[in-house]
């Protein structure tokens, strides 16, 4: 009942993203024993959305710092005009040159530039922190996938056969009059516990596989 409830809640959660399509029958499960891409390429997280966003914010901060630095430099402009005037006046040519001088640069432009540089440093630090965090998350999930697969294989290859042998031995002893029903029930419970442990590890491996499949950019999987 609990497993059925979890499946129903998962389908409801899926409907949040894809609508009524969530009610369609599920397709064949993917091969969870291998990743659809080279695991070594997971270390390259620069193409992931979080890193791209951090890079864009850093680029904006760099542009603003450049603009603040440019405001410290005097700007100049020139304007040439030609006026056609009627009689008795002759035509006139005029040239106007203007230079904008930064006013009180020590208290205005310099401080603004310094503030923008600090914002740029913060954006760079945030981008690097985001990248390191993402690398750690990907590495941890990859380790989770590998560990869960290894444990599932160990349970399937070692624990389950031993649990089945124990159950058969207890049942044979009971039939021969040398065993108890309690021993059979204990052996059966141990076998069921091993099967539940196998399902738990397979579920953990599937969750990690799905996370890695989702987080890795589709364009890099080919």
């Amino acid at each position: 009942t609990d497993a059925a409830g979890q499946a129903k809640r998962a389908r409801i959660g899926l409907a949040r993203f894809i609508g009524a399509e969530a009610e369609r029958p599920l397709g064949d499960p993917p091969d969870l024993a291998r990743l659809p891409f080279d695991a070594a390429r997971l270390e390259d997280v620069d193409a992931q959305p979080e890193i791209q966003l951090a890079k864009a914010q850093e680029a904006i901060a760099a542009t603003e710092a450049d603009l603040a630095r440019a405001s410290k430099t005097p700007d100049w402009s020139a304007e040439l005009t030609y006026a056609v005037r009627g009689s008795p006046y002759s035509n006139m040519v005029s040239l106007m040159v203007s230079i904008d001088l930064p006013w009180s640069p020590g208290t205005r432009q310099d401080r603004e530039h310094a503030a923008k540089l600090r914002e740029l440093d913060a954006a760079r630090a945030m981008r690097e922190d985001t990248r390191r965090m993402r690398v750690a998350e990907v590495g941890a999930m990859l380790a989770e996938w590998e560990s869960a697969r290894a444990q599932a294989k160990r349970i399937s290859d070692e624990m389950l056969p031993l649990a089945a042998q124990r159950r058969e031995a207890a049942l044979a002893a009971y039939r021969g009059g040398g065993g108890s029903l309690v021993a059979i029930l204990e052996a059966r419970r141990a076998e069921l516990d091993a099967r539940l442990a196998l399902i738990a590890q397979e579920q953990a491996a599937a969750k990690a596989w799905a996370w890695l499949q989702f987080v890795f950019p589709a364009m890099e999987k080919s």
Side-chain angles (χ1 to χ4, degrees):
T1 301
D2 182 62
Q6 291 182 18
K8 186 175 181 179
R9 288 191 294 272
R11 194 176 292 273
I12 293 173
L14 181 62
R16 172 188 174 189
F17 300 100
I18 65 175
E21 295 294 322
E23 297 301 326
R24 295 178 57 183
L26 298 177
D28 296 332
D31 182 9
L32 303 178
R34 64 182 185 88
L35 296 173
F37 42 80
D38 186 3
R41 298 170 67 188
L42 284 170
E43 298 179 0
D44 183 13
V45 300
D46 290 335
Q48 295 183 11
E50 292 82 359
I51 310 302
Q52 290 296 316
L53 176 60
K55 286 184 176 180
Q57 292 173 341
E58 180 184 354
I60 292 174
T63 301
E64 292 179 347
D66 290 340
L67 291 175
R69 177 176 55 82
S71 66
K72 298 171 56 179
T73 304
D75 194 12
W76 66 275
S77 63
E79 181 180 354
L80 177 65
T81 60
Y82 179 78
V84 179
R85 303 191 297 178
S87 180
Y89 303 102
S90 61
N91 296 341
M92 182 179 66
V93 177
S94 62
L95 174 64
M96 182 176 65
V97 178
S98 62
I99 300 177
D100 296 332
L101 297 177
W103 181 261
S104 186
T107 58
R108 296 183 61 185
Q109 285 81 9
D110 288 348
R111 289 187 178 182
E112 181 181 359
H113 186 215
K116 294 301 181 181
L117 288 178
R118 288 194 294 270
E119 292 179 4
L120 176 58
D121 290 340
R124 287 172 176 168
M126 180 62 69
R127 187 258 306 160
E128 182 62 23
D129 181 70
T130 302
R131 186 182 185 281
R132 291 181 180 180
M133 180 178 66
R134 206 57 173 168
V135 169
E137 289 176 347
V138 170
M141 198 58 67
L142 181 60
E144 173 70 16
W145 175 70
E146 293 173 343
S147 174
R149 287 179 56 240
Q151 293 188 58
K153 187 177 187 305
R154 187 175 299 110
I155 293 173
S156 178
D157 294 347
E158 300 177 12
M159 292 182 62
L160 276 178
L162 290 175
Q165 292 175 12
R166 177 186 174 189
R167 172 177 54 80
E168 291 297 330
L171 184 59
Y174 179 76
R175 288 172 177 172
S180 65
L181 183 60
V182 173
I184 296 177
L185 295 176
E186 290 179 350
R188 178 60 177 165
R189 171 55 63 87
E191 184 180 12
L192 291 175
D193 288 343
R195 292 186 181 277
L196 289 174
L198 175 61
I199 293 173
Q201 294 302 325
E202 290 175 342
Q203 186 182 46
K207 287 183 177 180
W209 185 93
W211 190 93
L212 293 169
Q213 168 80 1
F214 173 78
V215 78
F216 203 60
M219 68 179 107
E220 296 291 336
K221 293 174 185 175
S222 59

